[in-house]
Amino acid sequence: MSRTDAVWSEQGTTPDAIEAALRTLLIEAHAEREEVFPARVLNMITFVDLDWTGEIANRLRGVGRYHASRLVVLAYEPRRERLDARVTVSTHHPASPGELALLRETVVVELGDRHLDDLRTIADPLVVTDLPTLLWSPHGHHETIDELLPLAQAVLLDSVEEPDHADALDRAAALSERAYVVDLAWLRSTPWRERVAAMFDTPWLRPELQLLSSVTVRHHPRSTAAAALLVGWLASRLHWRSSRLVGVNGELTGRAHASRQDINVRLQTAPELQVPGLQGITVETAAGHRLRLDRGPGGLRARFSGPREEDHEWTIPGASRGETGVLGEGIRQALLRDPTYLPALGDARTMLA
Amino acid sequence: MAVAAGRPTERKQPENPLTAGLERQPVPPTTLVIFGATGDLARRKLLPALYNLAHDGALPERFYLIGVSRKEKAHEDYRRECEEAIERFSRRKPDPDVLKGLLENVRYVPGTFDDDSVYKALGDCMDASEKDAGEPLNRAFYLSTAPAFFPVIVGKLGESKLSEHEDAQVRCIIEKPFGTSLEEARELNREVLAVFDETSIYRIDHYLGKETVQNLLAFRFANGMFEPLWNRNYIDYVQITAAEDIGVGTRAEYYDSAGALRDLIQNHMMQLLCQVAMEPPVNFNAEEVRNEKVKVLDAIPEPTPGDIDQMAVRAQYGPGHAGGEDVPGYLEEEGVPADSNTETYAALRLEVDNWRWAGVPFYLRTGKRLARKVTEIAVTLKPVPHLAFSQDGSLGVQPNQLVLTVQPNEGVSLRIGAKIPGTRMIIRPVNMEFLYGTAFLSQSPEAYERLITDAMRGDPTLFTRNDEVEGQWRICDPIVKRWEQTPGPLPKYEAGSQGPTEATALLRDGDTWRAI
């Protein structure tokens, strides 16, 4: 699929002028070719430090079809006095003739400290009315997110990016009272949650869900929050009572309490893991069954053993999504609702309190 | 996981609380057996679908694939063929590690489908898979062969007891066409049902796996504004079109024995008609949805020999132009007999005789080498009872038309009248468009990915039940028979055109075919 861009830019501009430019570019694109249509799925407002605009643009470019239909990048440079803007309307040409060509819009607005108090009045005219809006501030700037939150239905964050994992989860919980939170740390656990759920879906093993005796999650050193969310998910789904984990020899350990037994919980760092997220999970049951899942080439490596069974080891195929894939999935999730995140977050916060 | 004695597979299982909130629900451990494993469908559709499921991590935790076909070859050779087919036909470039993981559990059993030793070897192969997995595996037999082999394979599966498993589910997936006549369909149903329960049979109509076809039900039953209009009081007529711009290509042998009516109308287009005309089901489980579709088929009168010439038209494409090129007529196509009377175009006018639809014609048409490739449902509403505008201003007023496009450019379009800007009140029709591609971030999976997953999960909603198949044939069979008994030559239409002029004879006064 090829792409052509129509660009407008202006220094010392206003939101009205930017919005007018968007309309003009869309009309021109449609007049040029009848089969082009603007995508109307999702607004995304991104607040970034100006120096990192290029890096963020690259990350968003990589998400491919999950790119928001209208992206508004608020590029922040503290001492900037003037509002400058660049509007790009991209036509994504179809591979086959006769198919529709999609238009996506990107608006980059460069602004400074003096604009922060009125930030909402700059962003509001630039989003498409009636479309859901996702807010993302990858470099912190919590106060800015708070200011823009009334414009958004969903907030994208990554709990593993925050310096303190307990604070990160508290922040996610606070935001979730005002908008739907899409946490990339949670999405990194999706394949693991799917696989653990599927393993225990086997009829003869399902009753043992109530007999889990230990859970160990291996994670990137900076991804404690993702590990805690995975255990939090098990705890909330299986009605465990979580308690605070304590640091011992570089790992967090503790116990959760089920109606029939306690569950040993361990969050171990896996320094060998090069990317944020999880390296593996081991789940044991009181009946002596043990399931271990680890990252491997081409999927998850599974090992299963039991008191009366032979050990089995195999690969469950699945391609790694990579960080770009996780970000794309985060954008897609802004249109969905996962009812299991908040309960998992609650238990994860208890464990990391 | 070794098979433990006395596993409580038959006891009611507790719910799995871990599946809540997951987009992808677990699929039970399965061995999938493809009969016709080296055929065109397997190579172009089934194997790429399996790869894409693997890529997305959507296959069962334990998954084994066994190919069965006539040609003698080693497991390794078959794996290599699978790899080539996936690399060539997959919708995404394969990840070498994922592909390797998938192919590790691929086996091949050679032999003819009536040979007992094939089923012995297949049984051994499935036992080996279970031993390797250490647990019972569901079995899904996918019949991707010529229809003549369906009863043979099913019979042998029954004789060899491969259709039974004490600790797991056994399912049979059957490709279309399900019979070539009502009698054959009934006989095939009898033979298949002698071995498998109806609940274990998954008759594929791949149209039902298409997102846009599934969305028909969402469109009708999730939007309050359409259903009040969806009846004889407001709808004038319905047109369902499945037009192709290509000729028979390499499918001449199959196509010449089938024809347009059997190829598309009897199955896909009847399914579309059912989805347009069905009553709202109580819920969206398989039985409720399929019950409602069967009621629609039951409400369509069986054509009598005297009716057929007035309600059905057939034709064959002659030479013409397509894509700026001269193209041959059907009879000049390679592999087509020079005296063939097979129709490449078929159009029907059907009535659905029930409270909702009495008197509303349903026009169905399909053909090859038409002007454009399009599959759509066009619902034309009755005109307004009175036009208050001046005569000049009213000239452009046309009845509202709702068009649901299944492919390409999936979407919904509503034709409405609007005033032309200016000092006078002059109306002309304009379209309100909704295009799927503009409104969702996700890419629709291939129909076969969805259907294979559903069959392995045991969800028959998107498959055709025995009484649906027989209902479809009850309507089409008299037409097929009449046409078979009527000598040619058939009316001709120019390749690349709108179809035969004879098709207009089906229309009531005032009704028109939409431009293709």
Side-chain angles (χ1 to χ4, degrees), chain A residues 92-108:
Chain A
H92 297 257
H93 301 284
S96 319
E99 290 179 12
L100 64 98
L102 274 186
L103 295 174
R104 291 197 181 114
E105 305 128 308
T106 302
V107 182
V108 180

PDB file of all heavy atoms in Angstrom, chain A residues 92-108:
ATOM      1  N   HIS A  92      -3.880   6.737   1.945  1.00  0.00           N
ATOM      2  CA  HIS A  92      -3.323   5.374   1.879  1.00  0.00           C
ATOM      3  C   HIS A  92      -3.964   4.668   0.704  1.00  0.00           C
ATOM      4  O   HIS A  92      -5.139   4.298   0.750  1.00  0.00           O
ATOM      5  CB  HIS A  92      -3.569   4.648   3.194  1.00  0.00           C
ATOM      6  CG  HIS A  92      -2.873   5.300   4.339  1.00  0.00           C
ATOM      7  ND1 HIS A  92      -1.711   4.800   4.881  1.00  0.00           N
ATOM      8  CD2 HIS A  92      -3.131   6.449   5.007  1.00  0.00           C
ATOM      9  CE1 HIS A  92      -1.301   5.605   5.846  1.00  0.00           C
ATOM     10  NE2 HIS A  92      -2.145   6.612   5.952  1.00  0.00           N
ATOM     11  N   HIS A  93      -3.204   4.525  -0.334  1.00  0.00           N
ATOM     12  CA  HIS A  93      -3.756   3.978  -1.577  1.00  0.00           C
ATOM     13  C   HIS A  93      -3.904   2.467  -1.457  1.00  0.00           C
ATOM     14  O   HIS A  93      -3.020   1.794  -0.943  1.00  0.00           O
ATOM     15  CB  HIS A  93      -2.845   4.314  -2.761  1.00  0.00           C
ATOM     16  CG  HIS A  93      -2.672   5.795  -2.930  1.00  0.00           C
ATOM     17  ND1 HIS A  93      -3.640   6.588  -3.478  1.00  0.00           N
ATOM     18  CD2 HIS A  93      -1.655   6.622  -2.573  1.00  0.00           C
ATOM     19  CE1 HIS A  93      -3.225   7.849  -3.479  1.00  0.00           C
ATOM     20  NE2 HIS A  93      -2.026   7.891  -2.929  1.00  0.00           N
ATOM     21  N   PRO A  94      -5.016   1.934  -1.942  1.00  0.00           N
ATOM     22  CA  PRO A  94      -5.251   0.493  -1.812  1.00  0.00           C
ATOM     23  C   PRO A  94      -4.350  -0.305  -2.746  1.00  0.00           C
ATOM     24  O   PRO A  94      -3.859   0.215  -3.749  1.00  0.00           O
ATOM     25  CB  PRO A  94      -6.713   0.341  -2.206  1.00  0.00           C
ATOM     26  CG  PRO A  94      -6.981   1.493  -3.117  1.00  0.00           C
ATOM     27  CD  PRO A  94      -6.091   2.618  -2.667  1.00  0.00           C
ATOM     28  N   ALA A  95      -4.187  -1.566  -2.372  1.00  0.00           N
ATOM     29  CA  ALA A  95      -3.361  -2.449  -3.197  1.00  0.00           C
ATOM     30  C   ALA A  95      -4.080  -2.772  -4.511  1.00  0.00           C
ATOM     31  O   ALA A  95      -3.444  -2.957  -5.543  1.00  0.00           O
ATOM     32  CB  ALA A  95      -3.065  -3.720  -2.421  1.00  0.00           C
ATOM     33  N   SER A  96      -5.408  -2.849  -4.472  1.00  0.00           N
ATOM     34  CA  SER A  96      -6.150  -3.220  -5.687  1.00  0.00           C
ATOM     35  C   SER A  96      -7.014  -2.049  -6.141  1.00  0.00           C
ATOM     36  O   SER A  96      -7.599  -1.359  -5.311  1.00  0.00           O
ATOM     37  CB  SER A  96      -7.072  -4.401  -5.406  1.00  0.00           C
ATOM     38  OG  SER A  96      -6.445  -5.339  -4.592  1.00  0.00           O
ATOM     39  N   PRO A  97      -7.122  -1.854  -7.447  1.00  0.00           N
ATOM     40  CA  PRO A  97      -7.983  -0.785  -7.933  1.00  0.00           C
ATOM     41  C   PRO A  97      -9.440  -1.084  -7.570  1.00  0.00           C
ATOM     42  O   PRO A  97      -9.838  -2.231  -7.483  1.00  0.00           O
ATOM     43  CB  PRO A  97      -7.780  -0.826  -9.451  1.00  0.00           C
ATOM     44  CG  PRO A  97      -7.161  -2.154  -9.743  1.00  0.00           C
ATOM     45  CD  PRO A  97      -6.477  -2.612  -8.507  1.00  0.00           C
ATOM     46  N   GLY A  98     -10.201  -0.017  -7.355  1.00  0.00           N
ATOM     47  CA  GLY A  98     -11.610  -0.197  -6.999  1.00  0.00           C
ATOM     48  C   GLY A  98     -11.849  -0.199  -5.507  1.00  0.00           C
ATOM     49  O   GLY A  98     -12.965   0.010  -5.064  1.00  0.00           O
ATOM     50  N   GLU A  99     -10.811  -0.468  -4.717  1.00  0.00           N
ATOM     51  CA  GLU A  99     -10.998  -0.435  -3.273  1.00  0.00           C
ATOM     52  C   GLU A  99     -10.869   1.005  -2.804  1.00  0.00           C
ATOM     53  O   GLU A  99     -10.265   1.843  -3.470  1.00  0.00           O
ATOM     54  CB  GLU A  99      -9.945  -1.305  -2.579  1.00  0.00           C
ATOM     55  CG  GLU A  99     -10.158  -2.787  -2.824  1.00  0.00           C
ATOM     56  CD  GLU A  99      -9.101  -3.637  -2.159  1.00  0.00           C
ATOM     57  OE1 GLU A  99      -8.350  -3.105  -1.328  1.00  0.00           O
ATOM     58  OE2 GLU A  99      -9.025  -4.823  -2.499  1.00  0.00           O
ATOM     59  N   LEU A 100     -11.421   1.298  -1.647  1.00  0.00           N
ATOM     60  CA  LEU A 100     -11.397   2.677  -1.192  1.00  0.00           C
ATOM     61  C   LEU A 100     -10.010   3.048  -0.651  1.00  0.00           C
ATOM     62  O   LEU A 100      -9.265   2.199  -0.166  1.00  0.00           O
ATOM     63  CB  LEU A 100     -12.465   2.915  -0.136  1.00  0.00           C
ATOM     64  CG  LEU A 100     -12.354   2.179   1.188  1.00  0.00           C
ATOM     65  CD1 LEU A 100     -11.729   3.086   2.227  1.00  0.00           C
ATOM     66  CD2 LEU A 100     -13.731   1.747   1.640  1.00  0.00           C
ATOM     67  N   ALA A 101      -9.707   4.323  -0.784  1.00  0.00           N
ATOM     68  CA  ALA A 101      -8.453   4.845  -0.241  1.00  0.00           C
ATOM     69  C   ALA A 101      -8.780   5.610   1.039  1.00  0.00           C
ATOM     70  O   ALA A 101      -9.704   6.410   1.073  1.00  0.00           O
ATOM     71  CB  ALA A 101      -7.800   5.775  -1.259  1.00  0.00           C
ATOM     72  N   LEU A 102      -8.029   5.332   2.086  1.00  0.00           N
ATOM     73  CA  LEU A 102      -8.314   5.943   3.381  1.00  0.00           C
ATOM     74  C   LEU A 102      -7.463   7.177   3.607  1.00  0.00           C
ATOM     75  O   LEU A 102      -6.277   7.204   3.269  1.00  0.00           O
ATOM     76  CB  LEU A 102      -7.992   4.949   4.503  1.00  0.00           C
ATOM     77  CG  LEU A 102      -9.080   3.954   4.885  1.00  0.00           C
ATOM     78  CD1 LEU A 102      -8.640   3.167   6.095  1.00  0.00           C
ATOM     79  CD2 LEU A 102     -10.392   4.666   5.170  1.00  0.00           C
ATOM     80  N   LEU A 103      -8.079   8.177   4.202  1.00  0.00           N
ATOM     81  CA  LEU A 103      -7.341   9.384   4.583  1.00  0.00           C
ATOM     82  C   LEU A 103      -7.133   9.380   6.091  1.00  0.00           C
ATOM     83  O   LEU A 103      -8.074   9.115   6.834  1.00  0.00           O
ATOM     84  CB  LEU A 103      -8.136  10.633   4.225  1.00  0.00           C
ATOM     85  CG  LEU A 103      -8.394  10.919   2.755  1.00  0.00           C
ATOM     86  CD1 LEU A 103      -9.313  12.125   2.624  1.00  0.00           C
ATOM     87  CD2 LEU A 103      -7.083  11.220   2.056  1.00  0.00           C
ATOM     88  N   ARG A 104      -5.918   9.673   6.512  1.00  0.00           N
ATOM     89  CA  ARG A 104      -5.672   9.833   7.953  1.00  0.00           C
ATOM     90  C   ARG A 104      -5.028  11.188   8.163  1.00  0.00           C
ATOM     91  O   ARG A 104      -4.221  11.645   7.358  1.00  0.00           O
ATOM     92  CB  ARG A 104      -4.758   8.731   8.470  1.00  0.00           C
ATOM     93  CG  ARG A 104      -5.433   7.386   8.465  1.00  0.00           C
ATOM     94  CD  ARG A 104      -4.692   6.421   9.351  1.00  0.00           C
ATOM     95  NE  ARG A 104      -5.328   5.124   9.319  1.00  0.00           N
ATOM     96  CZ  ARG A 104      -4.775   4.025   8.821  1.00  0.00           C
ATOM     97  NH1 ARG A 104      -3.556   4.082   8.336  1.00  0.00           N
ATOM     98  NH2 ARG A 104      -5.417   2.890   8.833  1.00  0.00           N
ATOM     99  N   GLU A 105      -5.377  11.811   9.267  1.00  0.00           N
ATOM    100  CA  GLU A 105      -4.888  13.171   9.514  1.00  0.00           C
ATOM    101  C   GLU A 105      -3.959  13.200  10.712  1.00  0.00           C
ATOM    102  O   GLU A 105      -4.242  12.558  11.730  1.00  0.00           O
ATOM    103  CB  GLU A 105      -6.072  14.105   9.787  1.00  0.00           C
ATOM    104  CG  GLU A 105      -7.119  14.090   8.694  1.00  0.00           C
ATOM    105  CD  GLU A 105      -8.504  13.836   9.225  1.00  0.00           C
ATOM    106  OE1 GLU A 105      -8.692  12.845   9.968  1.00  0.00           O
ATOM    107  OE2 GLU A 105      -9.396  14.618   8.917  1.00  0.00           O
ATOM    108  N   THR A 106      -2.871  13.951  10.559  1.00  0.00           N
ATOM    109  CA  THR A 106      -1.964  14.180  11.683  1.00  0.00           C
ATOM    110  C   THR A 106      -1.766  15.679  11.835  1.00  0.00           C
ATOM    111  O   THR A 106      -1.467  16.382  10.859  1.00  0.00           O
ATOM    112  CB  THR A 106      -0.600  13.506  11.438  1.00  0.00           C
ATOM    113  OG1 THR A 106      -0.811  12.111  11.242  1.00  0.00           O
ATOM    114  CG2 THR A 106       0.344  13.715  12.616  1.00  0.00           C
ATOM    115  N   VAL A 107      -1.969  16.154  13.052  1.00  0.00           N
ATOM    116  CA  VAL A 107      -1.778  17.573  13.339  1.00  0.00           C
ATOM    117  C   VAL A 107      -0.689  17.677  14.396  1.00  0.00           C
ATOM    118  O   VAL A 107      -0.806  17.074  15.468  1.00  0.00           O
ATOM    119  CB  VAL A 107      -3.081  18.195  13.898  1.00  0.00           C
ATOM    120  CG1 VAL A 107      -2.888  19.689  14.153  1.00  0.00           C
ATOM    121  CG2 VAL A 107      -4.245  17.946  12.970  1.00  0.00           C
ATOM    122  N   VAL A 108       0.377  18.386  14.082  1.00  0.00           N
ATOM    123  CA  VAL A 108       1.437  18.612  15.085  1.00  0.00           C
ATOM    124  C   VAL A 108       1.384  20.091  15.454  1.00  0.00           C
ATOM    125  O   VAL A 108       1.520  20.966  14.590  1.00  0.00           O
ATOM    126  CB  VAL A 108       2.822  18.240  14.537  1.00  0.00           C
ATOM    127  CG1 VAL A 108       3.898  18.489  15.594  1.00  0.00           C
ATOM    128  CG2 VAL A 108       2.842  16.787  14.077  1.00  0.00           C
TER     129      VAL A 108
END
